[in-house]
Amino acid sequence: MATKNENPAPFMAVHPGMMIKPELEERGISQKDFAKMVGTQASHLSEVLNGKRALTTDLAVKIESAIGLPANVLLSAQTQYELESAKATRDSNGKETVAITIPIGDRNLLREIVRRFGWVGVF
């Protein structure tokens, strides 16, 4: 009889790019070549592979066609990653935490926004 695990191991969702990138490396396929294979710009693909952009359904299907990684697995990973990311942005008070990166030349603008709206800023 199966028993309920009272102390399940913590689960950390990963961006699907973390699944695709090692696969390309293992196969010796450069990101630039793979971008051509799937019909997207290399910069767009790089952002997906590095977790800076969400994987779209269209790109997932193209990746499945190109190297056989199942689109449904990749999209499931994307959804789970987005859910975990959304949960992680809530602190114990139920307030949202937003992290942004501003180029150095725009830091004065950020300081003004922080001052005006009463946000907490880390510089």
Side-chain angles (χ1 to χ4, degrees):
M1 177 191 300
T3 61
K4 182 178 178 183
N5 185 353
E6 296 297 328
N7 297 315
F11 174 75
M12 177 85 174
V14 296
H15 190 278
M18 299 298 289
M19 299 164 65
I20 302 163
K21 195 173 186 177
E23 190 67 29
L24 296 179
E25 291 169 0
E26 182 69 27
R27 296 173 188 227
I29 303 171
S30 73
Q31 289 184 24
K32 185 176 179 180
D33 290 341
F34 191 62
K36 288 178 186 175
M37 288 171 64
V38 296
T40 192
Q41 293 184 1
S43 60
H44 177 90
L45 179 66
S46 177
E47 289 177 343
V48 171
L49 296 181
N50 291 305
K52 296 179 180 178
R53 183 184 290 249
L55 176 71
T56 63
T57 304
D58 183 54
L59 185 55
V61 170
K62 290 177 180 179
I63 290 169
E64 181 178 57
S65 294
I67 60 172
L69 287 175
N72 64 323
V73 171
L74 296 173
L75 292 170
S76 178
Q78 180 67 48
T79 300
Q80 192 64 41
Y81 178 79
E82 290 173 8
L83 285 170
E84 292 298 318
S85 295
K87 289 176 185 177
T89 61
R90 298 253 175 214
D91 65 17
S92 61
N93 295 326
K95 295 181 181 176
E96 284 192 49
T97 302
V98 178
I100 58 173
T101 303
I102 302 286
I104 291 192
D106 294 337
R107 297 254 178 185
N108 289 334
L109 173 63
L110 177 60
R111 283 189 177 101
E112 179 61 23
I113 292 170
V114 166
R115 184 192 64 76
R116 192 173 290 177
F117 293 102
W119 294 351
V120 175
V122 177
F123 302 96

